[in-house]
C-alpha cells in the first residue's frame, strides 16, 4: 500500500539574544565599512591634492632655477668682458663660473624632481597629458572662517571617517560580547506544525490522519564546557584593543589638526614677510648691478645678491604651496 505523508513545521523566535546581537553587530560592521570606504576616498583626495601641488611647486622651482641660470650666465659674461678689458680679475670670473655651475646643478635636480612629481601624478590619475594650472605669483588660498582650535578638533572628531569607522568597530565588538554572553541565556521560540498522512499502517488502511499543533519552546543551556566564558573574554580583549586604537587615532588626528591649524594661522603672515623679502632682494639685486656698472660694487656682491634673490623667491613659492596644502587638509 502507498503511504503519502505531508508535514509543515514553522519556527519564529520570541526571545533570542544571540541572534539580535549578531544582527546589531552586522549593522555596526556595515556602517564601519561605509566609513572606511569614505576614509579611503578622502585619503585618495589628499594624495591627489598633494601630488598636484608638488607638481606645481616643481614646475615653479624649475622656472626659478632657469631664471637663476640665465642671470648667472649674464654675470659670467660680464666678468669675462671685465677681465678682457683689464677691469676684472680671474678670481671674479672663477667665482661667477662656480656659481653658474652650482645653479646648473640645481636646475638638473629641479628637473629630476619635476619628472618624479609628474610620474607621481600620473600614477594616481592615469593621465599622461594632464595639464596643470600654475599658481599666480600673488595667489593666496581662501582660508576658512576663523574658529578656535577646540572647535576644529570637535569638527574633526565628529566628521572624520576613520574615527567613525573605529567607533563602529567598537560598537560591533560590544554586540559581539553580548552575543557570546547570550550563550548562558534561554531561547524562546514559537513553534507550529501541521501533519497529514494516509495509510499510516496496515491496520489503518483507507484512513487519513491530520494533526495540528502550536506552542512555545524554551531551551535552557546548562553547561557549555567553558566555551562561552572563553569567547566572552576574547571579545572583551578585542574591545579593549579597539578602544586603545581609537584613543591613539583621536590623539593623532588632534595633532594633525593642530599642525594644519597653526600652518594656516601663521601662513599668511609668513608668506607676506617672504613676499617682502622677495621685493627687497630684487631691489638689492638691481642696486648691486648698477653699483657694479658704476664701479662701486664688485662681481661678488652681484653674485651674492642673485643668490639671495633666488632663495627668497623659492622660499616664498614653497610657503605658498604649503599654505595651500594645509588649507586642503
Amino acid at each position: 500500500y502507498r503511504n503519502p505523508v505531508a508535514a509543515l513545521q514553522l519556527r519564529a523566535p520570541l526571545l533570542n539574544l544571540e541572534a539580535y546581537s549578531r544582527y546589531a553587530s552586522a549593522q555596526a560592521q556595515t556602517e564601519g565599512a561605509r566609513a572606511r570606504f569614505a576614509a579611503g576616498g578622502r585619503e585618495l583626495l589628499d594624495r591627489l591634492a598633494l601630488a598636484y601641488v608638488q607638481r606645481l611647486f616643481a614646475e615653479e622651482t624649475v622656472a626659478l632655477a632657469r631664471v637663476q641660470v640665465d642671470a648667472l650666465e649674464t654675470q659670467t659674461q660680464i666678468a669675462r668682458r671685465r677681465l678682457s678689458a683689464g677691469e676684472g680679475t680671474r678670481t671674479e670670473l672663477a667665482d661667477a663660473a662656480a656659481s653658474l655651475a652650482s645653479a646648473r646643478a640645481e636646475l638638473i635636480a629641479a628637473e629630476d624632481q619635476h619628472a618624479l612629481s609628474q610620474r607621481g601624478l600620473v600614477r594616481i590619475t592615469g593621465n599622461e597629458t594632464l595639464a596643470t594650472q600654475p599658481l599666480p605669483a600673488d595667489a593666496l588660498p581662501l582660508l576658512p572662517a576663523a574658529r578656535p582650535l577646540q572647535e576644529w578638533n570637535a569638527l574633526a572628531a565628529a566628521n572624520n571617517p576613520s574615527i567613525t569607522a573605529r567607533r563602529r568597530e567598537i560598537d560591533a565588538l560590544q554586540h559581539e560580547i553580548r552575543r557570546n554572553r547570550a550563550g548562558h541565556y534561554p531561547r524562546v521560540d514559537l513553534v507550529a506544525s501541521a501533519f497529514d498522512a494516509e495509510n499510516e499502517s496496515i491496520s489503518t488502511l483507507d484512513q487519513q490522519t491530520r494533526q495540528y499543533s502550536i506552542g512555545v519552546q524554551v531551551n535552557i543551556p546548562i553547561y557549555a564546557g567553558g566555551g562561552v566564558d572563553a569567547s566572552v573574554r576574547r571579545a572583551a580583549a578585542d574591545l579593549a584593543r579597539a578602544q586603545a586604537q581609537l584613543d591613539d587615532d583621536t590623539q593623532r588626528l588632534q595633532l594633525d589638526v593642530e599642525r594644519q591649524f597653526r600652518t594656516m594661522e601663521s601662513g599668511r603672515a609668513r608668506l607676506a614677510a617672504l613676499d617682502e623679502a622677495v621685493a627687497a632682494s630684487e631691489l638689492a639685486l638691481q642696486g648691486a648691478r648698477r653699483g657694479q656698472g658704476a664701479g662701486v660694487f664688485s662681481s661678488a656682491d652681484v653674485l651674492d645678491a642673485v643668490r639671495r634673490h633666488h632663495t627668497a623667491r623659492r622660499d616664498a613659492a614653497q610657503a605658498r604651496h604649503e599654505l595651500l596644502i594645509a588649507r586642503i587638509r
Side-chain angles (χ1 to χ4, degrees):
Y1 61 92
R2 298 179 66 243
N3 174 221
V5 177
L8 177 64
Q9 293 182 343
L10 301 176
R11 178 185 297 271
L14 297 178
L15 177 62
N16 191 335
L17 298 179
E18 180 181 0
Y20 175 76
S21 298
R22 188 184 301 114
Y23 171 72
S25 177
Q27 281 188 320
Q29 291 175 359
T30 301
E31 294 174 1
R34 292 194 183 100
R36 284 191 295 273
F37 180 77
R42 294 194 183 188
E43 181 183 355
L44 174 61
L45 289 177
D46 179 70
R47 291 193 294 113
L48 174 61
L50 181 60
Y52 188 88
V53 174
Q54 284 179 342
R55 177 177 167 180
L56 290 181
F57 180 62
E59 290 177 350
E60 191 164 352
T61 302
V62 169
L64 292 175
R66 287 173 179 168
V67 170
Q68 183 186 26
V69 168
D70 294 340
L72 291 175
E73 284 179 347
T74 302
Q75 190 62 32
T76 302
Q77 293 174 2
I78 293 175
R80 187 175 290 110
R81 287 198 300 267
R82 285 170 56 86
L83 179 63
S84 300
E87 298 178 357
T89 63
R90 292 184 179 275
T91 303
E92 291 181 354
L93 179 59
D95 192 10
S99 298
L100 177 59
S102 298
R104 286 173 175 169
E106 289 185 14
L107 176 59
I108 294 173
E111 290 175 343
D112 289 342
Q113 189 62 36
H114 176 264
L116 291 175
S117 64
Q118 168 68 12
R119 177 55 54 191
L121 188 60
V122 170
R123 177 175 173 268
I124 297 176
T125 62
N127 191 342
E128 294 279 352
T129 60
L130 182 65
T132 57
Q133 180 66 37
L135 288 178
D138 56 348
L140 281 177
L142 295 176
L143 298 184
R147 288 175 174 168
L149 179 60
Q150 293 78 8
E151 186 174 348
W152 280 115
N153 283 328
L155 287 172
N159 297 284
N160 186 270
S162 298
I163 298 297
T164 301
R166 188 70 70 185
R167 288 172 178 165
R168 298 292 82 79
E169 180 185 358
I170 290 176
D171 292 341
L173 289 172
Q174 289 174 342
H175 291 300
E176 187 69 15
I177 292 177
R178 298 189 186 99
R179 184 187 72 83
N180 292 323
R181 191 175 288 125
H184 290 308
Y185 299 150
R187 173 177 173 178
V188 181
D189 295 330
L190 176 66
V191 294
S193 63
F195 180 80
D196 188 355
E198 296 181 10
N199 305 328
E200 287 188 272
S201 65
I202 195 171
S203 60
T204 57
L205 293 178
D206 299 328
Q207 293 183 14
Q208 185 178 18
T209 302
R210 289 182 178 177
Q211 295 178 352
Y212 302 95
S213 64
I214 185 171
V216 176
Q217 186 180 71
V218 180
N219 294 323
I220 302 177
I222 297 177
Y223 181 67
V228 174
D229 293 335
S231 60
V232 170
R233 289 194 299 269
R234 183 191 62 186
D238 291 339
L239 176 61
R241 173 187 54 79
Q243 288 174 339
Q245 290 177 344
L246 174 61
D247 293 338
D248 182 67
D249 292 346
T250 302
Q251 293 178 3
R252 187 183 299 113
L253 174 64
Q254 291 177 352
L255 179 61
D256 190 42
V257 169
E258 184 174 358
R259 182 184 299 111
Q260 309 306 331
F261 175 81
R262 297 192 182 281
T263 301
M264 289 191 299
E265 285 289 303
S266 60
R268 281 203 171 188
R270 179 170 177 264
L271 186 57
L274 289 172
D275 286 339
E276 292 179 0
V278 170
S281 64
E282 186 174 2
L283 288 176
L285 177 60
Q286 294 175 359
R289 285 172 175 170
R290 292 175 183 176
Q292 185 185 24
V296 178
F297 289 151
S298 65
S299 177
D301 295 328
V302 177
L303 292 175
D304 188 49
V306 169
R307 285 191 289 265
R308 287 200 304 268
H309 182 55
H310 171 74
T311 301
R313 293 184 64 183
R314 184 185 58 196
D315 291 344
Q318 183 175 1
R320 184 171 288 104
H321 288 84
E322 287 178 353
L323 184 60
L324 179 57
I325 284 294
R327 173 66 182 96
I328 292 172
R329 287 181 169 173

